[in-house]
Amino acid sequence: MITFATLSIILVASAVFAIAAKSPVHSVVGLLVNFMALAVLYLSLSAEFIAFIQILVYSGAILILFVFVIALLSSGIGPFNVGPDRLPKLLIPGTILSALALGLVIRMLANTSFTPEPRIGIALGPIGAANVFGSIGDFGRALFTLNLLPFEVTAFILLVAVIGVVLVTAGESHAMPPMKIHRKARKREAIVKEHH
Amino acid sequence: MIWPLVLVPFLVGLSIFAFPRRADALATGVGIFVALGTLVATVLLSSAPDETLPWITRPSFPFASSFHVGLGSGLSFWLVLLTALTSACALLTTTTQVPRRRDFVAWMVLLQGAMTGVFVARDLLMFALFWDLMLIPVFVILIGWSAGHRASAWRYLLYNGSAGLLLLIAVAAYGITTGSTDVLSVSVTYLKGNPLGPMEAWLFIGFALAFLVKTPVWPFHTWMPTTYADLPAPAVAVVSAVQSKAGLYGFLAVTTMVFPAATHVVAPVMIVLGTVGVVAGAFAALVQTDVKRIVAYSSLSHLGLILAAIFTFDPIALSGAVVYMIAHGLFSAALFLTLGSVEQRTETRLLRRMGGLGIRNPRLAGALVISALAALGLPGLCGFAGEILILTGLFRSGAVWPTMLALVATVAAAAYMLRLFQGIMHGPEAADLPQRSDLQWAEGLALVPLVLGMVWLGINPSVIARAVPASASLSMDAHTPAPYDTAAFPSVVPPATEALR
Amino acid sequence: MIVPPLYYIALSAVLFFIGIAGVLTRRNPLIMLMAIELMFNAANLALITFSRVWLNNVGHIFAFLVVTVAAAEAAIALAIVVVVFRQAPNVDVDQIAELKG
Amino acid sequence: MTTIPLTIPFGSQDFTALFPCFIVACGALLVLLLDLLFPASLRRGWSILIALATLGIAGVSALNGWGEPISVFANAFVTGSLTVAFEEIVVIGAALSMLLMYTAGRDDQAAGAIALLLWSASGAMLMAGASNLMVVFLGLELLSLGLYCLCGFVTRRVAREAALKYLLLSSTASAVMLYGMALLFGATGSVDFNALALPSASPVMFDLGVGLFLVGLAFKLSLVPFHEWTPDVYAGAPLPVTAFMSVVTKAGALAVLIRFVGALPPNISDQLVQPLWVVAGLSMIVGNVGALAQTDLKRLLAYSGIAQLGYIVAALAVRNDNGLYSAIFYLAAYTFMNLGAFAVAALLSRDEEEGTHLASFRGLSGRKPLLAGAMTFFLLGLAGIPPTAGFTGKVLILANTIGAGFVNLAVLLVIGTAISFYAYLKIVRLMYAPSFGQGVNVVVPRSRLPWIAIAVCAVAVLVLALHPIVPTGSFATLKSEVKDRVSVQSAY
Amino acid sequence: MNGYAAQALDVIWLLPLLGALIAWTFGPRLRAAAGGICSAVVGLAFAGTLAELVFVSRWTGMHWGFHQSLVTWVPGFTLGLQLDPLSLIWSLIITGVGFLIHVYSIGYLAGDRSIARFFAYMNFFVFAMLTLVLSDNFVGLLVGWGLVGLASYFLIGYYIDRPSAVAAARKAFVINVFGDVGMMFAIVVVFALFGSVSYTDVFAVAHDLPSPVLALICLGLFTACAAKSAQVPLHTWLPDAMEGPTPVSALIHAATMVTAGVYLIARCAPLWSSSPEAQELVGVVGAITALCGALLGIVQWDIKRILAYSTMSQIGYMIMAVGVGAYDAGVLHFFTHAFFKALLFLAAGLIIHELANEQDIRKMGGLRKRMPLAFWAITSGVLAICGIPLFSGFYSKDAVIYGMLLHGHPILFAIGVLTAGLTAFYMFRMWFIVFFGSDRTEHGEETHASSWTMRIPVALLIGPTVVAGYLGIAGSASPWSRFLAPVFDGARPFEVSTPLNETAVSSLVLIFVACGILAAYLRYGSARATSRDTLRLMREAEGIPLFFRRAFYVDDFIRVLIVRPAQIFGAFLSRFIDPRFIDGLVHDVAWFAGVLGFEVRAMQNGQVRGYAFTLAVGVVAFIAYFTSLGGVR
């Protein structure tokens, strides 16, 4: 219970930090903490394989990708600039709306009676043991037998990701020069015209 | 064999679009040929049996519909004839009056097909299909060939499109309630055994609004003056002659059959609306400045009278209504066609800028005056034949006030029709008129059959007077069925006699 | 399970709606994407909790698939963000509003 | 430590059932591979050809599944008439969009784009038969991920913007849907649709799960108030992608919706799906009203699509075969009418500029009468004016909704349609009004392929209107599919 | 023979139509020849009618003369023609006088550009008038009734480029249509009650009708009479109708068409005889018309308008007579009036023609020597109209006036006598001013000589003007009454004993006539009066009270009370109700939809966060709904 409480506090705090941080890099750090805490929470739920995946994929791959992009976008034009806020009034309603929805869901959860009847298919066991609920063996068997179809579909999803990214960015290499140069060129044209 | 009456115009109309761009004469010729062919074929097919093809079937669909066509009721036959005749005449006049003739002719032929479809449909859904189909040619002609502002096209669409949707929803509801929409050739007794219950009122309202708008009847008429004024003459001739009959045909042949109870319940309302239209149209026509609007408002007046007649369910009035429907078709077509010729010569539609055209165009003046006289109900011409039957029926069924008001409107009709005719043809010649020759052969040829029809119908309306759908004159009281019997015509017990004695 | 499962669900709900709030209030597309990742993770937490409760490992499979999809989506999303904002002076979704009406 | 043998419990029947879906996905690989072999100038043409061939094979092979529903892959996927119908719509939509591919991107991008399009299509086909929350999610993502990229693969700024907007909003909606799925899983202990009808461990959680799931579907179907992405994304995306999106996404989501709603416990499902009818009614009005003021064909069709999907969802309010059939019928009609209109726009497009601004339709009847006629025909169909499939479809929807007592939906449909007349016929006016004839350059299209699409669509719209006959063995079996779901796969 | 005669009836009836069609179709080529053809056609018809007279006189015992069916009009009901003594009399006048006037017109309109059109109209009129009188039913009657109105309209407006003619024509037609409508109403009632509109059927049961119904029918019919025969207050078109060429005035607006009302009442005698209220009404209106016509005739200066008012006044006599039941007298007065009024018009036409269309009598004077034929013709006509013994008018008018007394209407009798005096005054006023005194013409040199085609008809008409009345000598025993007996036998109302016998009445009338003539002589004819002519006449014109000059303000009343309100009502409907109210409502709805469209556009502001917000609102709404269900199972 204490573990759960501690993790909850960490999770909520890091999540709030992640979305409230000024700088995206701070957000990434917040998110990193969040994902780590989640992985611990998964362990407490006997999902050891998912916990590893969580750290590997999320913290290891996705967040690094974010850092990359942050670096890429801020390299040429300095730190992130923010333009004028077109919807300045959205901050408070947005927050209120989310809180309202959360309140509704919490109220629902508070009033509900949750009576699952666990199926006795596979036993719970300590983390790290083989062939217990949540172990790699258990997971792998399920993935490659009954859930073969979803697994195969993920192959195509990853293919789509690869080809899609190539397609989107391939267009870029042939694209117009960056806007600044473009603008300069236009200004020059205008000056030439004036001279005429 | 009835199918070609509908299909051929569609196929030909579409194929005309594929003609070479400058093939105006060819297109017109083909269009006229189709119309005349329809005319001849209709005469030959006058006693052809109904034909049915499945369309929507159960159980995959909630109700059954079929492509069911027939010329059975005499009214359909005459209206199809009228459609073909006016189309042919209108197309003849396009030779001088319309630019981009190939496309125009194509749309006109399509319009003819759609209107024919409305009149031969024996299935409610098919009826609704052709009903909505009539919208588009008129709309396109309004935007493509109208002289006026484009608002008229939208107004036309707004009124008629919405009303068509009401018809559609009512047909759909009818289908789901009864399981079939193929009912227009079923005997009325069968329908009496299958009441729609409380739904009948709502369904009838849907049908009735569509019919009232299309006719149009006061107060659903405000689309009409602008539409009639802006449509080119050949198109408006067909629209006013035939399309306006679709609504009346609907009341006469459709609602009486499908919703007999509701139709009888609303009769007083309809008579009142019709009568208001009679008066409003007549007086409004007195003060119009645009010649086509004069005729438009006069149509409102005449069509209102027919509506009132239909809802008396009196055999004489119904005969009159049928005669007057055809009569109105003839004279309004002739009026608009002549006004088209006039507009072409004067290059204006404003009455105050016209005058003296008859001095150089005596034949045009002759055509206009005969049409105008038929319209104002001059005894001996077709308008009178219908009018007196209608008034007799109205009076006989106790509608004394409508009769009186209709008579007042007739006086007004004389005033506005003469104002129209004299304003155009008489008086000093307008100084800045471009000098054009008298009626060209095509225009004249187009008017001849219409004028002959007006005279013939005025002398001999009995042929058409018989064409009352059986369901229309059906009395609601089961004990005194009054099926329309020609032999019994003069000896029908006059209900008014008792009232007066 | 010592901790009632609904607590986990409540926690996931909190994370989920923090994610939603992030999408609604932030203008930096990267942070919006992170907020969306947060929402996916909240759903994952719920899935894994339920999986544990029902002792049905299909929730794990589902969570695994979600992680995979999230990775693919992140890749695509970041590629799009890069091509959209590389030329833009501001990394701010508010400025990307050429399409409207 | 015992090793449990790893045997795959699926046979040829399971794989055959998914063959159409797989062949499309593999066709994409083929396109990518063969792209390396062709000279640059021919690449696009060959890619399109291969894609069409693949889709053709898929379309034909899918017909095998027609008949009784059979569940495969441990009830992750269901074949049968319903699935086949949606698969065919997806295949046709994809094939017709493929014919417009000449209008978008450079030749060297074509293969990639076509591959993505095929993968998206396969995602939608997966959704057509998905009967498992996971498969739904994966199908949805396979469909969407490809589309994010396709929206932004051309260099126009608006296309990129569309991609970004689509990405952000769609991901959010996916997350919401995913959360709903998690709740459903929690309430039922299973991801199988068949478990939905069982008594749930927490009814309230179940309800909320249904609600969030429906949000996700409503977003994909672009129903109000989840519609706002639609106009912007349609307007920004390249023309063939918009065309594809407007049909295929909807077909996939609709299939899921039908199956999901059918799987809900009958005694409470009315309450659970009620918001859907509200949303459908709102869509009819907002969609048509929004279309009134548009000046771009793609935006107009986006709003129109919002409304049309409103009609289709309204048709589902009737919980029987007739309602289902009318929805599918209307979807098919919408597919052809919509894609036909896009095909016309494709013929008006130039290299750098898509011919979707309404101004490019000015005086079209004078320049290209046949094209104008076809466009008029499609627009009439969308407006529900005969003789088009739109008319027949609308009659069926009206009859069904009225028959089921949803008179208010029928009335909203009629009001919406009346409003839409203006929106659609505005284009007809532009094409036929004489004074607008001048000032528009004649466009030489890059390819005449869209003509094929136009011809197919026109014929289909007419034939569906006049001969809407269902093949034998229609969806009469769906009811049993819905009811006999008491036996839940014990494997889960 | 009877069968042949009946078959010939439609030939007689259609001959003029044939002429009209020929003249209309080939008009431009025929030109002047059209006059010959059309006259010949009418002449033929006249000959045919005369031949029919022979048959009819042989079967005077038969009740209804000949009958011939034509077409089935509506199921169960056929239109037909019939020829009985009454219609025969009218047919003779129509074709006979019509023939003369046709011939006259050849000369009168010689050189006119569209003379063929004129003759087409004239022949068409003859056809229409024959339709009116030969029909055996009310519908045919109404057809003829309408068509004569049409012909009259065409002919009044013959000079289509003259605005006053066009206006006069329209006025005449509209008022006539008002009459048609009245008849239509009557027919509607008849048709609705009896299911038939043939005379035979209707008259057979006329006596059994309840009197309000009968009165209603008669009222409708009388509206038609009043409009067609220019009875007060529907008379205003007649003076204006003089815009037409003079032969038209002679034929239509004097001899035949305007007397159709007389025909109608005579024809419907069975109805009238059964309805005392209707008789009363008709008699009173006729008397008022006779008096008003005479009064207004006094103040006119246009020769044709004088004759027009005199026509109105004389028709008042006829209507009065047939109204109260003196059918023989009324019809006889029609008969004689047809001749002498046609003669007067034609002779006036001679003058007008010679003076190059001058119609103002103040600009005439002293024409006695210059135009002897016209002088003698008009003199005989004036004597006839004033009822001087030996001239036809004496017999017919006295019969009318005596008829008033005979049928118990002393007040009408008094009016009749008074009017006779006034008639003498205004006719002789015209006579003196035109033919005596100094020559005041302004166009002395530009006169057109009248051709023989004009002179011969005038000369020929002088004969019947004198002798036509002799048929009516000896009252009910006269050949005239015997001839008409089959028509009116069933409808002869009661007669009362009179204090005065016929001779005394004649003497009384003659005294009044003499006074009138004397007054006219003193004011216009004496040497003293003629010495200071033009100026005095002009001044006298100014002195006439406005009340008379504006013809009792009837036109103004009609304009203010009917025409203007109708126009205002129409404008209100079409310029306010339609666009503002009905269309406005629809327009507002459409406008609202458009505004909503722009609202939707405005909401679609391109901000992705905004879209997300909307989406979130939807999500929250869904959450709220689904959590509120409470998990009911």
Side-chain angles (χ1 to χ4, degrees), chain D residues 165 169 200 203-204 206-208 211-212 215 219 225-226 228 231-232 268 271-272 274-275 279 289-290 292-294 299 303, chain E residues 593-594 596-598 600-601 603-604 606-608 610-612 614-615 618-619 622-623 625-627 629-633:
Chain D
K165 283 179 172 171
L169 294 169
S200 69
V204 255
F206 180 82
D207 294 347
L208 185 59
L212 294 181
V215 166
F219 179 87
F226 313 108
E228 282 195 306
D232 286 7
I268 57 156
Q271 263 182 323
L272 290 179
Q274 203 117 41
V279 164
V289 165
L292 284 180
Q294 299 306 321
R299 285 197 92 82
Y303 279 107
Chain E
L596 276 185
F598 280 101
V600 170
R601 256 188 93 112
M603 272 175 65
Q604 195 79 23
Q607 298 297 327
V608 69
Y611 300 172
T614 317
L615 192 150
V619 171
F622 264 57
I623 291 175
Y625 175 79
F626 281 97
T627 54
L629 287 178
V632 188
R633 294 260 127 155

Side-chain angles (χ1 to χ4, degrees), chain B residues 155 159 219 221-222 280 283 287-288 297 359 373 379 384 388 392 407 418 421-422 426-427 458-462 490 494, chain E residues 72-73 75 113 142-143 150 153 160 166 170 173 181 191-193 195 566-567 569-571 573-575 578 582-583 586:
Chain B
R155 194 178 277 128
Y159 280 76
H221 67 285
T222 48
F283 282 94
V287 293
Q288 298 305 310
Y297 273 108
I359 296 167
L373 291 170
F384 166 76
I388 193 159
T392 305
L407 289 169
L418 285 192
F421 170 69
Q422 295 186 324
H426 289 177
I459 297 166
N460 190 12
S462 61
Chain E
T72 303
W73 196 61
R113 214 159 59 99
L142 181 50
V143 170
L150 177 66
Y153 161 77
I160 57 176
V166 171
R170 187 194 313 171
F173 191 73
V181 160
F191 199 6
L193 292 185
Q567 285 174 341
F569 182 52
L573 284 172
S574 64
R575 311 231 165 94
D578 281 7
I582 302 169
D583 214 32
V586 176

Side-chain angles (χ1 to χ4, degrees), chain B residues 314-329:
Chain B
D314 179 283
I316 295 181
L318 288 170
S319 289
V322 171
V323 171
Y324 208 84
M325 277 166 77
I326 305 294
H328 181 261

Side-chain angles (χ1 to χ4, degrees), chain E residues 24-277:
Chain E
W24 191 72
T25 316
F26 306 107
R29 247 163 286 159
L30 285 175
R31 289 254 156 183
I37 292 171
C38 292
S39 306
V41 161
V42 178
L44 269 179
F46 179 58
T49 318
L50 272 179
E52 298 283 1
L53 171 63
V54 178
F55 291 109
V56 172
S57 54
R58 195 173 292 171
W59 286 297
T60 37
M62 256 181 67
H63 192 78
W64 278 116
F66 313 133
H67 185 268
Q68 183 180 18
S69 294
L70 289 173
V71 291
T72 303
W73 196 61
V74 292
F77 173 62
T78 52
L79 293 186
L81 298 178
Q82 70 168 24
L83 189 70
D84 71 340
L86 190 64
S87 43
L88 183 69
I89 291 172
W90 251 271
S91 303
L92 281 173
I93 295 291
I94 293 160
T95 51
V97 176
F99 172 65
L100 292 178
I101 294 174
H102 269 76
V103 174
Y104 176 89
S105 308
I106 296 174
Y108 190 83
L109 278 123
D112 194 290
R113 214 159 59 99
S114 44
I115 186 165
R117 182 163 61 93
F118 176 82
F119 277 103
Y121 292 157
M122 287 290 272
N123 263 19
F124 179 70
F125 168 76
V126 173
F127 159 73
M129 197 67 204
L130 285 175
T131 312
L132 197 163
V133 298
L134 290 178
S135 171
D136 72 340
N137 60 70
F138 282 104
V139 171
L141 174 76
L142 181 50
V143 170
W145 201 264
L147 293 185
V148 291
L150 177 66
S152 141
Y153 161 77
F154 282 142
L155 286 165
I156 296 169
Y158 174 71
Y159 299 118
I160 57 176
D161 49 353
R162 197 193 288 169
S164 59
V166 171
R170 187 194 313 171
K171 184 173 173 186
F173 191 73
V174 172
I175 291 179
N176 270 303
V177 166
F178 182 74
D180 294 356
V181 160
M183 183 184 285
M184 201 159 166
F185 174 70
I187 294 175
V188 161
V189 176
V190 164
F191 199 6
L193 292 185
F194 307 121
S196 170
V197 289
S198 89
Y199 295 149
T200 332
D201 296 346
V202 175
F203 297 156
V205 291
H207 294 289
D208 307 333
L209 277 183
S211 93
V213 178
L214 203 55
L216 208 59
I217 296 171
C218 289
L219 185 68
L221 291 176
F222 183 63
T223 312
C225 290
K228 191 69 77 195
S229 297
Q231 299 298 293
V232 173
L234 300 179
H235 65 280
T236 58
W237 65 273
L238 184 59
D240 290 1
M242 297 301 130
E243 288 285 351
T246 309
V248 171
S249 311
L251 179 62
I252 299 182
H253 305 120
T256 53
M257 185 190 87
V258 287
T259 59
V262 183
Y263 171 79
L264 177 65
I265 296 175
R267 171 59 72 207
C268 300
L271 294 179
W272 251 270
S273 305
S274 316
S275 175
E277 302 94 330

